[in-house]
Amino acid sequence: MPYDDSPPPTRRARPLSLAAALAAVCLTAAGCGGGPETGEAGAAPPRPGADGATSAAPTPTGKQPLPKGPLTGRTVVIDPGHNPGNRDHTREINQQVDIGTGRKECDTTGTATNDGYAEARFTLDVSHRLRTLLETEGARVLLTHDADRPFGPCIDERARIGNEAKADAVVSVHADGSAVGNRGFHVILPAEVKGGGADTSKIVKSSADLGAKIAGHFARTTGSAPSNYIGGNTGLDTRDDLGGLNLSTVPKVFVECGNMRDPKDAALLTAASWRQKAAQGLADGITGYLKG
């Protein structure tokens, strides 16, 4: 099949105490209104608010001085979910890799809207916008890929990139492929797991803090509500089956920005103006977390 958009059987909603933090932000927001992924989603740095296709370009990080700002000295790794080339390399991405507590596919193709807008295009576009916003604040920003390789990287390599960068925060950008009527965003947090090469005990709390900050700002900035089908309306979900989280040794979360298979959410996800809001919400959440 062209896309892997079926929810994993082990997924389960777990309302967390962090819901209070999200609720506090939503109470002051001008509408926390409502869309979200499966698996472990492309274009070049678009100008904020620009519609239409874009082409890949290298990050300026390391090639010119970054502006001084509140995130100067901090490193953020952005992980654009999937790769536009994955669908042409199904044999390679179906190879099993070790996720510490078991084995799982190297990667998946991701999902798409009913009109064919691929998650891989969405996630890379939002990641480029997010990179621009964070670099403006002085952060050193790395992407796990920039559609600059035939497929992947595999989920274990994605985790390794953040670990080796000693990132202060890692955010994996996704969009979900669920049933019509399922709407809203959710942030996936690492469960406490230990097995094989996985040990999240040192990052569970910091990742939860990062996720709560992102959830609150994402709701306020985009106007989207927390997921109505995962997380018990908290916008937060804890999972132990994602290699990108299991193998991380630095604070990391996944963000499912909306449900690509719901027409109302799809209308948001395909709009460049909304994708800019999504990037801003992510940036504000990351900044809030890093500034303490």
Side-chain angles (χ1 to χ4, degrees):
M1 70 175 68
Y3 297 99
D4 172 16
D5 61 353
S6 58
T10 54
R11 170 174 279 177
R12 53 193 177 279
R14 299 182 188 170
L16 304 179
S17 59
L18 292 171
L22 175 61
V25 175
C26 287
L27 286 173
T28 59
C32 289
E37 174 254 84
T38 65
E40 294 213 25
R47 290 178 184 158
D51 284 287
T54 52
S55 57
T59 175
T61 302
K63 295 186 178 181
Q64 63 187 39
L66 289 169
K68 298 293 184 182
L71 300 185
T72 295
R74 298 303 192 109
T75 296
V76 178
V77 171
I78 304 171
D79 180 24
H82 315 290
N83 180 324
N86 279 0
R87 64 182 181 180
D88 299 320
H89 295 272
T90 54
R91 182 178 62 83
E92 292 89 344
I93 66 171
N94 283 332
Q95 296 295 314
Q96 299 278 306
V97 298
D98 187 358
I99 65 167
T101 56
R103 298 185 69 79
K104 200 168 185 178
E105 294 84 1
C106 157
D107 202 359
T108 68
T109 57
T111 188
T113 66
N114 292 332
D115 291 332
Y117 180 57
E119 179 186 0
R121 289 181 57 199
F122 168 83
T123 64
L124 199 56
D125 181 80
V126 171
S127 295
H128 286 146
R129 296 170 186 270
L130 175 57
R131 176 179 64 190
T132 297
L133 292 167
L134 292 173
E135 287 183 337
T136 299
E137 296 297 303
R140 171 178 175 252
V141 181
L142 305 175
L143 268 62
T144 59
H145 76 92
D146 205 355
D148 50 357
R149 52 191 293 167
F151 63 91
C154 294
I155 54 180
D156 55 344
E157 183 182 351
R158 290 172 187 263
R160 189 160 58 249
I161 291 169
N163 296 344
E164 292 178 351
K166 294 181 171 55
D168 296 291
V170 183
V171 174
S172 190
V173 181
H174 286 267
D176 210 354
S178 189
V180 173
N182 288 345
R183 299 195 62 197
F185 73 90
H186 65 278
V187 182
I188 303 174
L189 314 174
E192 185 162 347
V193 297
K194 189 168 186 177
D199 183 356
T200 61
S201 58
K202 294 181 180 179
I203 66 161
V204 167
K205 184 181 184 306
S206 56
S207 297
D209 291 344
L210 171 62
K213 281 287 197 303
I214 288 176
H217 284 282
F218 195 88
R220 180 173 61 189
T221 303
T222 64
S224 290
S227 170
N228 64 5
Y229 64 102
I230 288 175
N233 296 313
T234 66
L236 301 168
D237 183 39
T238 301
R239 288 176 59 175
D240 60 9
D241 64 323
L242 298 178
L245 296 180
N246 288 0
L247 298 174
S248 184
T249 59
V250 294
K252 182 174 182 177
V253 298
F254 280 39
V255 182
E256 298 286 2
C257 297
N259 178 17
M260 300 197 96
R261 293 302 179 87
D262 177 83
K264 292 181 180 179
D265 267 12
L268 299 175
L269 298 166
T270 55
S273 58
W274 189 90
R275 294 196 299 272
Q276 187 63 28
K277 291 179 182 179
Q280 187 67 63
L282 294 172
D284 290 345
I286 294 167
T287 299
Y289 165 75
L290 293 178
K291 291 174 66 177

